[in-house]
Amino acid sequence: MAQVHEGGCLCGALRYAVTGDPLRISVCHCTWCQRRTGSAFSVEALFADEQVTITGARGRYRSHSDESGRWLDLEFCPTCGVNIGFTLEKLPGHRMIDSGTFDDPGWISPERFEFRYVYLRSSQCWSRPPEGVEGFDTSVRT
Ligand SMILES: [Zn+2]
Ligand SMILES: [Zn+2]
């Protein structure tokens, strides 16, 4: 049976559970992710909607990609403000969960899943993929 992993915000008002493995992991260095996380990059786990159950109060904020103009909807706790992830116009029926919001964030690791280092063209000079790991200037071309 598929494993369930839970997570949520700092105050506990917004919780979620995911079933099974993420479809992919992006370590994204785009300027949008730097702004929304307040950090140098985000670690995003992509899931299909049906893998994810979200409970509790949810705030939403719609912003648009500098690159494509398409929308991205941030989902956050209205009480403590933690952003648990987002949905995006580019991938209907899917959602990104920020890996640091899992109760056990360590299960999202490069030993288990392929990490894709993307948007390195806007990365900070000290924030690069590990030695020998491929990175991409923008998104991954498939
Ligand atoms: Zn909260
Ligand atoms: Zn990004």
Side-chain angles (χ1 to χ4, degrees):
M1 221 176 93
Q3 267 197 302
V4 175
H5 290 90
E6 293 184 31
C9 66
L10 273 174
C11 76
L14 178 54
R15 297 286 301 166
Y16 65 81
V18 304
T19 304
D21 288 343
L23 306 173
R24 69 166 192 244
I25 308 292
S26 300
V27 183
C28 186
H29 298 69
C30 82
T31 53
W32 185 80
C33 283
Q34 291 186 42
R35 174 78 65 180
R36 82 179 176 84
T37 60
S39 185
F41 56 86
S42 68
V43 183
E44 300 158 357
L46 177 70
F47 293 94
D49 274 343
E50 53 269 21
Q51 290 180 271
V52 186
T53 307
I54 299 178
T55 49
R58 224 187 310 180
R60 251 201 202 95
Y61 177 75
R62 172 156 293 189
S63 60
H64 291 84
S65 162
D66 300 339
E67 304 268 342
S68 66
R70 286 190 282 224
W71 60 256
L72 304 117
D73 278 356
L74 298 187
E75 293 182 303
F76 58 89
C77 172
T79 305
C80 71
V82 167
N83 175 206
I84 60 158
F86 57 94
T87 55
L88 58 174
E89 186 176 4
K90 192 179 166 186
L91 290 172
H94 294 77
R95 61 176 53 251
M96 295 290 194
I97 298 282
D98 285 304
S99 74
T101 63
F102 281 104
D103 294 341
D104 171 18
W107 84 284
I108 303 288
S109 76
E111 284 82 47
R112 292 184 70 155
F113 306 112
E114 184 197 355
F115 276 34
R116 294 174 173 185
Y117 292 80
V118 296
Y119 284 95
L120 291 173
R121 71 174 177 200
S122 49
S123 71
Q124 300 303 313
C125 62
W126 47 263
S127 176
R128 308 294 300 174
E131 200 62 39
V133 175
E134 188 185 13
F136 300 85
D137 275 350
T138 57
S139 58
V140 178
R141 281 181 263 323
T142 45

